[in-house]
Structure formats: structure tokens, C-alpha cells
Amino acid sequence: MSQSRLASCIPLPLDNKVLSSVVEKAKDWALMHGVGMRDKAHFSKDTIQIAPFVLLPSPFPRTEFTKAVDLQPVLNELMHKVSHDDEFLEKTLQNALEVDDFTAKLYNIWIKVREEGITQSLSLGLFRSDYLMQQPDSNRIKQVEFNTVAASFGAITSYLPSMFRYVLRQLGHGELIKNMPENRALSGLCSGIIEAYDMFGVPSAVVLFVVEEVSYNICDQRFHEFEISEKRPDIMIYRKTLNEIYEEAELNDKKQLVIEGRAVAVVYYRSGYEPAQYPSQKEWDARLKVERSSAIKCPSIHYQLAGTKKVQQALAAPGALERFMAEGELRSRVRDIFTGLYSLDFDDNGERAVEMAIADAERFVLKPQREGGGNNLYGADVKEALLRMRHSRERAAYILMERILPPLISGYVVRPNAAVPPSLCDLVSELGIFGVIIGNKEKIYINRQVGHMLRTKLADANEGGVAAGLGALDSPYLLDL
Ligand code: ADP
Ligand code: MG
């Protein structure tokens, strides 16, 4: 089937001279407002370069955008309930745990802190639910995944509507600005951290960002720090790696996590979601120390486990949503965003899924329990992997997902060190909606939708991670179809 195309916000292509000039303006706007990243090839703390972005906001149907926004608090609550359902998590993850060492280590920390008695019952979630439009289904949104840990780009993308307003005005199309929704993700996400801080309620406590050894995506992290500092000058933020936490943090007799003599109120993980971020036992020990402490974790370990692909797949299985949501319109709306998700466990359903994917691999994506991009398999690789793993227990670490076919968009991608003017390309967009939640098993205190991000990639690329250099930052231009 040929892919349909959504109309761009202004007629394309642009005249080359106009294009070159507006690209230069947009790049300077980006650099001067922190739409940037550190250069991986020539890392220096003294410089940032532009993060890849699209020149014009990409079209997105208004009804689908609104649907995703409205659903976010519902999904926040669903994931909150899932993460507090020990039995469901155990049953869902048990086969994967046997073959996936990383998820097993996270899970074992969860068991351990439960056995010891939970010191901090509150969790903070800064979530992001991601969607692609399913073109054969009238461009309705389908959920790609639900991120519960280190969901990024809320900060930088909050500035993009402003950049696109500038670009559209420079192109003489200021009248179109009304079709771009404001994005207050940065402020909303930071409010979540601040509210959790206040609920911790210890004066002079600090907020701890758990960061990578080298942070390439520095703007997206620092903006949170700047925003919190503006709103609440009394809150000090520390940035530490897991290794530094191992070395420097201690638990006192009240189980407070103490760094440099100060109790930690909130721990915000921007690292710790993939195996490479735990190069030794020290990092795992640090993680355990944090989880044992009274600090409010973002995410708590059970939030992180609830965000695994395996849980996403289990929630789409018949009967699962019923466990968490009463019958009614909301439940149907949630079910409607799920696409085909299949377990590869060793049972009848798993066997059927394996057969189905081997017979028609192009229709599927094979996903391990990993975050951060670049781990999934597509097309011929799905078939090859399943033929190899068919009789091996390893296959239980993966889920099978129907491949979503988004509509095409025409646009220009602006990248650092790339030729100007860029050429007009076929692109596809992925929408992310941010949510904030704070609660414990008994009660949810805060639950809201706080903003969005759009990232857009070349239509023929399988994945579109911006930090990985594949995707480009974007913001929706809402279409009334
Ligand atoms: P990760 O945790 O690595 O971000 P995702 O599930 O988000 O894993 O997959 C990474 C990327 O792969 C997505 O951003 C999307 O571009 C692509 N992708 C994932 N699932 C599908 C799917 N079912 N159909 C089409 N593309 C997909
Ligand atoms: Mg993703």
C-alpha cells in the first residue's frame, strides 16, 4: 500500500535562496536558545552545537493530538496502578526475568526493598507516552511505548513553538502561528519535581539528578535545573553519576540519603535505564542504596518495571486492562490506542506469534526489554532472530509488535555540519505526551498532562532517536482534517 501524505503547513519546496537564508536564521535561533547538544565527535564542555530539528512544524491531526493529551492522566493512573500490583508485575515479568539479566537485577532490587520494608511509599513519575499515526487506520494514533524513566526532550521542545513562530514569520506566514499549540512541558515537569520536594518536607534537603558520565543531551537536563532554580531559589540541585553516588552518598539512621551533609528529597534519574550505565557492581549497589532511602524516586523502581515492553504487551492481552480499569468509555479509549502486541513465551499464543512473524516479518517489530533506542529489530532481522531463537528460552525476553505505518510528511531536516540548503525529504513524526504523577499505593495526589514533544525522522529510517542522531526535534502544526 502506498503511504498517504499529510499536507505541510506551507507549500513546499521553498526557493533555494529563501531556504538557505531561513535555515541560517533558524540555526542561530536554535543555538542562542539552547536547542542544542554536545558534539559527540569533538566533545567539549565549552561548546554546544544545534540539535537536529525540522525547519517547519510538522502537520498532525488536531483530533488525534487532543485525544493523546486527554488520555495522558488516564494512562498515568493506569501505569501507577500497574506498578503497585506486585502480583501482576511478577506474573508478567517472570519469564523475561529468567533470560534478561538487566531486568532481573532491577526486579531483585524491588524485591529486596519490599522485603526490608518500603521507606518511601511515594513515587514521582515524569512519564511520556509515545505515538505514531497508523495511516491504514485513518491516521489514528497508536501507542509506540510508555516511558517511565528518563523521558527526555520535554525541556528543549518547550522552546520549539517559539522557534517555529519566528521561522514562519520570516517566511511571511505569521498567520499560521495559531495552529501551533503552546508547550509547557518544561515548567510542568519541573513542577512535579518541586511538588515532590515539598511533600518530602525537609528544609535544606536537595534534589539529586542521576546523570551519565558524559551528558551529551546537556541542554535538556540543565533547563530543568535553571527552571527549578528560578521558581524555587531555595532548592539546590546536585548532579551525580551512579558511581559518585556509590562513593559519596550514605544512608543515615532515618534512612535519608545524605550527600555532602544534606538529605536528598527527590532523585531524578536521567541515567540508569540501560545496562551500559551499570558497568560494575558499584552502580548496582548505588541504585540499591537510593531505592532503600527515604528520597522520593523519579521513577521508583516499580515505576521503571511497569515501563518495560513486557508490561506494555501484557496490558494489551485480553482481560488485562479489565484488572485496572472499570468498564466504560475510558477503557475503550485506552484499548483503541493499542496495536497488536504479542508475547513470545513458550505457550500456544507464543508459538502462534512466532509462526506469524516468521511468515510475514515485514509486518512486525521485535523488541527486547530495553530503553534508549537502537535495540529493536525490523523486517528481515525479525525473521532471522526468531528462526535463531525459536527453541531457545532467550525469546521470552522479547515481545512482538505490529509495525505501525505512519503517513508521510514533507520537510527539511536541519543538522549540525550538514550542507545548506537541506533537501526536501519524506519524513514521519512520533508524538510524545508528558505526564506527571505523584502518589502511593493508597492515593494519587497529583496527576496531570503537562506538555508534548514531536520528533520526526526520515521515512525510511526504522528508529528516530534524536540523541542517537536519527531523529529531529519538531512541534505539531495542528490540522483540521
Ligand atoms: P525505545 O525504548 O528504545 O525508545 P521504542 O519502543 O520507543 O523503544 O522504539 C524505538 C523506535 O522504534 C520508536 O521511536 C519508533 O520510531 C520505532 N518503533 C517502535 N515500535 C514501532 C512500531 N510498532 N511500528 C513502527 N515503528 C516502531
Ligand atoms: Mg522510545
Side-chain angles (χ1 to χ4, degrees):
M1 181 175 13
S2 68
Q3 268 169 292
S4 69
R5 189 178 293 270
L6 292 177
S8 49
C9 63
I10 58 173
L12 299 178
L14 296 175
D15 165 76
N16 263 351
K17 220 168 141 192
V18 173
L19 178 60
S20 297
S21 153
V22 80
V23 165
E24 294 303 337
K25 289 179 184 179
K27 279 192 186 183
D28 284 344
W29 196 101
L31 270 181
M32 294 173 198
H33 293 78
V35 180
M37 264 191 237
R38 297 248 201 257
D39 182 352
K40 283 190 178 163
H42 308 98
F43 180 84
S44 157
K45 284 194 176 174
D46 293 344
T47 45
I48 56 163
Q49 58 179 198
I50 55 162
F53 62 88
V54 292
L55 183 65
L56 295 161
S58 293
F60 204 95
R62 189 187 299 272
T63 47
E64 295 306 299
F65 178 77
T66 308
K67 187 199 284 180
V69 164
D70 291 347
L71 265 182
Q72 190 61 35
V74 179
L75 297 175
N76 290 346
E77 183 178 339
L78 171 65
M79 298 309 285
H80 181 84
K81 286 186 180 159
V82 168
S83 71
H84 287 91
D85 187 331
D86 301 349
E87 191 190 321
F88 181 82
L89 276 187
E90 187 191 336
K91 196 164 132 265
T92 301
L93 292 172
Q94 67 187 11
N95 289 333
L97 296 179
E98 285 176 25
V99 283
D100 183 337
D101 188 47
F102 179 69
T103 312
K105 282 187 162 133
L106 291 173
Y107 191 81
N108 289 340
I109 291 180
W110 174 219
I111 297 286
K112 198 159 195 157
V113 292
R114 257 164 52 197
E115 281 171 1
E116 288 177 3
I118 296 182
T119 321
Q120 178 53 265
S121 65
L122 290 173
S123 297
L124 166 63
L126 302 183
F127 294 157
R128 198 186 73 214
S129 183
D130 289 343
Y131 305 91
L132 286 167
M133 284 173 274
Q134 174 72 301
Q135 183 249 311
D137 188 10
S138 314
N139 291 332
R140 286 199 290 180
I141 48 165
K142 292 290 168 190
Q143 188 178 51
V144 174
E145 67 158 340
F146 193 91
N147 298 284
T148 57
V149 56
S152 59
F153 290 115
I156 299 185
T157 52
S158 295
Y159 295 103
L160 290 194
S162 176
M163 182 178 84
F164 288 135
R165 286 199 288 270
Y166 170 68
V167 168
L168 283 172
R169 284 192 202 109
Q170 296 307 305
L171 290 168
H173 286 285
E175 81 284 2
L176 299 179
I177 285 166
K178 60 183 186 301
N179 297 318
M180 287 190 303
E182 261 309 337
N183 189 7
R184 301 202 170 79
L186 174 61
S187 135
L189 294 167
C190 291
S191 296
I193 295 175
I194 292 170
E195 280 160 284
Y197 179 90
D198 287 339
M199 287 169 92
F200 188 75
V202 175
S204 85
V206 299
V207 171
L208 172 65
F209 282 25
V210 182
V211 298
E212 316 93 316
E213 296 286 337
V214 182
S215 294
Y216 294 104
N217 194 10
I218 189 71
C219 299
D220 198 60
Q221 297 181 10
R222 285 284 190 210
F223 279 135
H224 292 257
E225 297 181 42
F226 305 157
E227 171 83 11
I228 292 170
S229 175
E230 274 296 317
K231 277 190 177 152
R232 288 289 296 271
D234 57 312
I235 301 180
M236 189 61 82
I237 296 178
Y238 290 175
R239 294 170 65 82
K240 302 276 179 199
T241 63
L242 282 168
N243 191 40
E244 285 167 337
I245 293 169
Y246 174 84
E247 300 288 346
E248 299 171 30
E250 280 176 0
L251 291 185
N252 68 12
D253 52 359
K254 287 191 253 164
K255 293 259 188 102
Q256 287 177 328
L257 185 71
V258 178
I259 298 185
E260 295 171 20
R262 297 175 76 168
V264 177
V266 179
V267 179
Y268 175 38
Y269 289 99
R270 291 295 298 240
S271 178
Y273 53 83
E274 63 179 15
Q277 292 161 343
Y278 299 81
S280 73
Q281 187 56 38
K282 285 185 184 174
E283 287 76 18
W284 285 111
D285 290 349
R287 181 73 196 251
L288 177 61
K289 186 161 28 181
V290 173
E291 297 305 319
R292 273 180 170 149
S293 79
S294 64
I296 299 174
K297 276 76 72 180
C298 175
S300 54
I301 198 118
H302 42 304
Y303 268 9
Q304 188 168 350
L305 290 168
T308 51
K309 311 280 190 280
K310 193 66 201 159
V311 167
Q312 182 189 7
Q313 174 263 309
L315 278 175
L321 264 190
E322 285 72 1
R323 186 177 172 110
F324 301 103
M325 295 184 74
E327 194 184 343
E329 199 226 327
L330 280 184
R331 195 167 79 194
S332 320
R333 277 163 60 195
V334 171
R335 187 173 303 291
D336 197 50
I337 59 165
F338 292 167
T339 185
L341 285 149
Y342 307 92
S343 145
L344 296 173
D345 288 344
F346 281 91
D347 55 19
D348 287 350
N349 286 335
E351 292 309 324
R352 261 200 303 277
V354 170
E355 295 302 329
M356 184 171 68
I358 288 175
D360 201 357
E362 290 300 329
R363 271 182 53 213
F364 298 98
V365 183
L366 191 59
K367 298 188 175 187
Q369 309 307 307
R370 289 290 173 275
E371 301 297 325
N375 301 299
N376 301 337
L377 299 176
Y378 301 82
D381 293 338
V382 172
K383 182 170 175 179
E384 197 221 282
L386 284 177
L387 286 172
R388 179 173 50 78
M389 296 190 297
R390 199 175 198 167
H391 304 294
S392 145
R393 289 181 343 141
E394 190 192 345
R395 84 179 202 202
Y398 290 79
I399 63 153
L400 187 69
M401 183 171 185
E402 194 184 309
R403 185 162 188 164
I404 309 165
L405 286 176
L408 296 177
I409 289 158
S410 304
Y412 299 101
V413 178
V414 181
R415 292 184 187 287
N417 307 317
V420 176
S423 44
L424 190 62
C425 297
D426 282 346
L427 307 169
V428 296
S429 292
E430 183 171 343
L431 176 69
I433 304 290
F434 289 99
V436 170
I437 189 162
I438 303 178
N440 55 27
K441 192 168 180 147
E442 286 73 43
K443 189 164 174 187
I444 293 174
Y445 295 91
I446 283 160
N447 177 12
R448 46 184 179 246
Q449 178 279 133
V450 296
H452 56 268
M453 67 98 102
L454 195 69
R455 80 196 132 147
T456 296
K457 64 179 181 183
L458 292 178
D460 53 12
N462 284 327
E463 298 202 10
V466 177
L470 296 167
L473 298 172
D474 198 346
S475 195
Y477 178 87
L478 299 181
L479 294 180
D480 295 297
L481 297 170

